[in-house]
Amino acid sequence: MRFSFTLPAIFAVSVLASIKSGDPSGDDTLAILSAFADCKKDGHIIFTNTTYHVGQVMNTTGLKNVDIELKGTLEWSTDIQYWLNHSLPIGFQNQSSAWFLGGDNIHFYGHGYGTLFGNGDTWYIYSNGTSNLHGRPHAITIWGTTNSLIEGLRFIKSQMWTSTVTRSEGVELTNIYINNSCSAEASKVKRCNVNTDGVDTIYANNITFLRWTVESGDDSISMKQNSTNIYMANNTFHKGLGYAMGSIGQYPGELEIIENITAVDTYFYNTGYAGRVKSWTGRTTGSPPNGGGGGIGWARNISFTNFTLSSVDMPWYITQCTSYNGVQGGCDTSKFKIENMRWGNTRGTTDRNFVASLQCSGAAPCTGVHIFDNNLTVEKNGTKTTGYLCSNVEAPEGFNCTGKAPNTSG
Ligand SMILES: *[C@@H]1O[C@H](CO)[C@@H](O)[C@H](O)[C@H]1NC(C)=O
Ligand SMILES: *[C@@H]1O[C@H](CO)[C@@H](O)[C@H](O)[C@H]1NC(C)=O
Ligand SMILES: *[C@@H]1O[C@H](CO)[C@@H](O)[C@H](O)[C@H]1NC(C)=O
Ligand SMILES: *[C@@H]1O[C@H](CO)[C@@H](O)[C@H](O)[C@H]1NC(C)=O
Ligand SMILES: *[C@@H]1O[C@H](CO)[C@@H](O)[C@H](O)[C@H]1NC(C)=O
Ligand SMILES: *[C@@H]1O[C@H](CO)[C@@H](O)[C@H](O)[C@H]1NC(C)=O
Ligand SMILES: *[C@@H]1O[C@H](CO)[C@@H](O)[C@H](O)[C@H]1NC(C)=O
Ligand SMILES: *[C@@H]1O[C@H](CO)[C@@H](O)[C@H](O)[C@H]1NC(C)=O
Ligand SMILES: *[C@@H]1O[C@H](CO)[C@@H](O)[C@H](O)[C@H]1NC(C)=O
Ligand SMILES: *[C@@H]1O[C@H](CO)[C@@H](O)[C@H](O)[C@H]1NC(C)=O
Ligand SMILES: *[C@@H]1O[C@H](CO)[C@@H](O)[C@H](O)[C@H]1NC(C)=O
Ligand SMILES: *[C@@H]1O[C@H](CO)[C@@H](O)[C@H](O)[C@H]1NC(C)=O
């Protein structure tokens, strides 16, 4: 463990609450909120090995020195109209959440079996492939949190994004299992689990993700605006889109950054990408959440090394073409700057004959892109993977471009 949560004896746990499930109303939310209120400071909250029904939003922030032990399952209700009306806004795009958890020196742990069950199939069917549905909640938002450890939890069928870490610093999240795959019925919906990201960071600094296993229909782990000093290791992704930096640059004129992101020792099975960076174009078309563009800033010092790939479509990817649904063009207009990428030392297989597709903006060409030691073969025929598509990549290091990158936003 990287740091210890042992409290000095004088601050020994003062409150212990074992929450009872089985409220006659069928909703255990009030019992849970009351345990958090009792144990707000120097507390230890225990969810025993049973199922708790959560039918209302929870805002349990401002905790101090609290252990939260999940031995059972939290199961969120499927009252879609309730959640659409009440989920808590996170202050970014139109995103919202079913649960806000936060404070200083929190230890939230599930021993590898404590489970957050979002009943996502209901949402996957209801949303019918819509990406950003106003009010559709993330399972949990870690908010205003410092010096904390979250570990050994399972997330099954999250309603939308599984987790968001925001306005937080010095948080480690370790041994997390996420499976947002669709039921047979939900699978009839095209892109049934779109937007079921594993985790997103926004306005977050010094965050560590170790040993995550993520099966999702979207970004596995994503850094969004003002994510800095993020370390990730020993993660495994099934399907989904791998490590996603962005989309960023959506808010006209706003300065946003992604800086010092490191990922090592990661396994990818049938993912769309290994690592990628996505920015909006420099044109403003529509407004957030679904429109925007024209933001400024940079993505800098992004190191992705020692990855093992199995049937990955496009290992390394950059696009600066993101725009309002269906709007094409403007790929050379973004002033958002992408620099100092270190991507390499990989092994394994790709679906196609491409190591990278790098579409950088003419208005702010990419610099310091170093792509090295990619020992990859094409899955279906075993030949070496050799293609590098580029636009506006200045002085590529470790590779030569073999063609022009397409103007697609991916
Ligand atoms: C939790 O309870 C279930 C059903 O009673 C049991 O099968 C399971 O082993 C228990 N899990 C743990 C970790 O105690
Ligand atoms: C949701 O809000 C709508 C419109 O304000 C209202 O008609 C409806 O009763 C609300 N439903 C729930 C479950 O809160
Ligand atoms: C959560 O509760 C805190 C403290 O009462 C409050 O400041 C904050 O605005 C609440 N957050 C949301 C999203 O409701
Ligand atoms: C779901 O979306 C598809 C298009 O992807 C559309 O054909 C279908 O009618 C939609 N279903 C419902 C119930 O809206
Ligand atoms: C980063 O956060 C960890 C807790 O995850 C903490 O131990 C460490 O001191 C922090 N580093 C810096 C430079 O603040
Ligand atoms: C990843 O896990 C392996 C095996 O447990 C371990 O040897 C290695 O040090 C880990 N890597 C990191 C960066 O933690
Ligand atoms: C993001 O970080 C930059 C650099 O610290 C800061 O200038 C900017 O205001 C931040 N943006 C937002 C939206 O908070
Ligand atoms: C990124 O890392 C460099 C080198 O360690 C450091 O100088 C810089 O301050 C870091 N940037 C941020 C935003 O923390
Ligand atoms: C690279 O990854 C392999 C396989 O996961 C692991 O055994 C090895 O220790 C890693 N090497 C470094 C330098 O991190
Ligand atoms: C293997 O497949 C790739 C991707 O379709 C193709 O570009 C390459 O030519 C194939 N190699 C052979 C020997 O057929
Ligand atoms: C590349 O991978 C092949 C097959 O996995 C392996 O035999 C070879 O030693 C690797 N080469 C390098 C330079 O790592
Ligand atoms: C790139 O092409 C140049 C000129 O043909 C060659 O000298 C160099 O070795 C190539 N670099 C790589 C990494 O293949």
Side-chain angles (χ1 to χ4, degrees):
M1 193 152 85
R2 289 150 55 95
F3 56 101
S4 162
F5 286 89
T6 314
L7 302 168
I10 186 168
F11 294 127
V13 166
S14 62
V15 208
L16 178 72
S18 180
I19 309 170
K20 288 205 170 55
S21 70
D23 189 282
S25 71
D27 180 1
D28 299 311
T29 310
L30 296 180
I32 296 169
L33 291 176
S34 132
F36 274 90
D38 289 348
C39 299
K40 216 171 152 48
K41 190 160 179 291
D42 305 329
H44 185 168
I45 296 160
I46 301 170
F47 291 90
T48 61
N49 180 11
T50 185
T51 297
Y52 297 83
H53 294 276
V54 184
Q56 294 169 64
V57 294
M58 301 193 292
N59 178 358
T60 55
T61 49
L63 308 175
K64 175 82 180 162
N65 307 330
V66 174
D67 278 17
I68 304 156
E69 190 171 357
L70 180 60
K71 295 176 167 177
T73 296
L74 295 175
E75 177 174 350
W76 273 264
S77 76
T78 55
D79 184 349
I80 287 188
Q81 290 311 319
Y82 167 81
W83 293 107
L84 293 178
N85 281 2
H86 294 95
S87 55
L88 304 170
I90 71 166
F92 166 70
Q93 296 178 333
N94 62 346
Q95 310 275 8
S96 57
S97 185
W99 186 10
F100 268 59
L101 175 69
D104 179 56
N105 197 21
I106 297 173
H107 186 194
F108 181 17
Y109 55 108
H111 303 285
Y113 55 81
T115 299
L116 291 88
F117 176 51
N119 259 314
D121 286 314
T122 309
W123 288 99
Y124 309 156
I125 293 165
Y126 179 82
S127 335
N128 194 26
T130 302
S131 192
N132 271 319
L133 187 71
H134 183 68
R136 178 177 168 191
H138 307 170
I140 190 169
T141 293
I142 306 301
W143 169 275
T145 298
T146 47
N147 181 37
S148 291
L149 176 64
I150 296 172
E151 59 176 341
L153 298 173
R154 299 168 76 242
F155 290 86
I156 307 295
K157 296 185 184 290
S158 300
Q159 302 91 317
M160 195 179 132
W161 288 5
T162 301
S163 51
T164 308
V165 178
T166 185
R167 311 275 175 200
S168 293
E169 198 160 18
V171 182
E172 178 179 327
L173 302 99
T174 290
N175 289 325
I176 305 289
Y177 173 84
I178 297 174
N179 191 338
N180 295 334
S181 53
C182 306
S183 68
E185 199 200 343
S187 296
K188 291 177 193 155
V189 169
K190 208 170 145 195
R191 308 200 314 153
C192 63
N193 55 0
V194 67
N195 236 336
T196 59
D197 297 14
V199 61
D200 287 72
T201 62
I202 310 166
Y203 311 125
N205 181 45
N206 185 21
I207 311 293
T208 301
F209 299 98
L210 302 179
R211 294 186 291 280
W212 283 52
T213 299
V214 181
E215 176 162 350
S216 90
D218 218 299
D219 299 339
S220 311
I221 293 187
S222 175
M223 274 72 246
K224 297 213 168 4
Q225 60 207 48
N226 286 12
S227 293
T228 50
N229 304 305
I230 312 282
Y231 182 75
M232 304 174 277
N234 268 328
N235 298 319
T236 303
F237 304 142
H238 299 268
K239 302 182 184 157
L241 303 177
Y243 291 118
M245 305 298 108
S247 302
I248 187 162
Q250 184 175 6
Y251 292 81
E254 255 185 47
L255 175 66
E256 299 173 351
I257 69 175
I258 294 177
E259 183 169 321
N260 298 346
I261 313 296
T262 301
V264 301
D265 299 0
T266 306
Y267 299 84
F268 301 79
Y269 297 95
N270 302 297
T271 58
Y273 311 91
R276 74 183 163 144
V277 183
K278 273 176 84 172
S279 92
W280 285 70
T281 69
R283 296 177 183 163
T284 308
T285 315
S287 51
N290 294 317
I296 54 174
W298 60 85
R300 177 190 289 164
N301 303 348
I302 298 178
S303 173
F304 291 149
T305 59
N306 203 23
F307 288 0
T308 305
L309 279 49
S310 180
S311 283
V312 170
D313 186 56
M314 180 64 80
W316 309 119
Y317 189 72
I318 293 174
T319 176
Q320 302 205 254
C321 279
T322 302
S323 191
Y324 190 69
N325 285 343
V327 173
Q328 308 278 317
C331 296
D332 277 333
T333 58
S334 175
K335 294 199 173 90
F336 187 88
K337 172 81 174 166
I338 294 170
E339 60 186 345
N340 298 345
M341 306 293 122
R342 277 188 70 250
W343 295 347
N345 189 16
T346 67
R347 61 201 76 79
T349 62
T350 56
D351 289 344
R352 296 185 286 161
N353 187 25
F354 297 114
V355 177
S357 175
L358 313 168
Q359 185 280 314
C360 299
S361 166
C366 298
T367 51
V369 179
H370 187 189
I371 299 186
F372 57 97
D373 295 343
N374 288 282
N375 186 9
L376 300 167
T377 56
V378 177
E379 171 82 27
K380 68 179 175 207
N381 61 21
T383 61
K384 191 166 169 52
T385 309
T386 52
Y388 293 84
L389 305 178
C390 313
S391 303
N392 305 305
V393 178
E394 266 178 19
E397 292 172 55
F399 66 104
N400 286 319
C401 301
T402 60
K404 191 175 179 311
N407 281 341
T408 50
S409 67

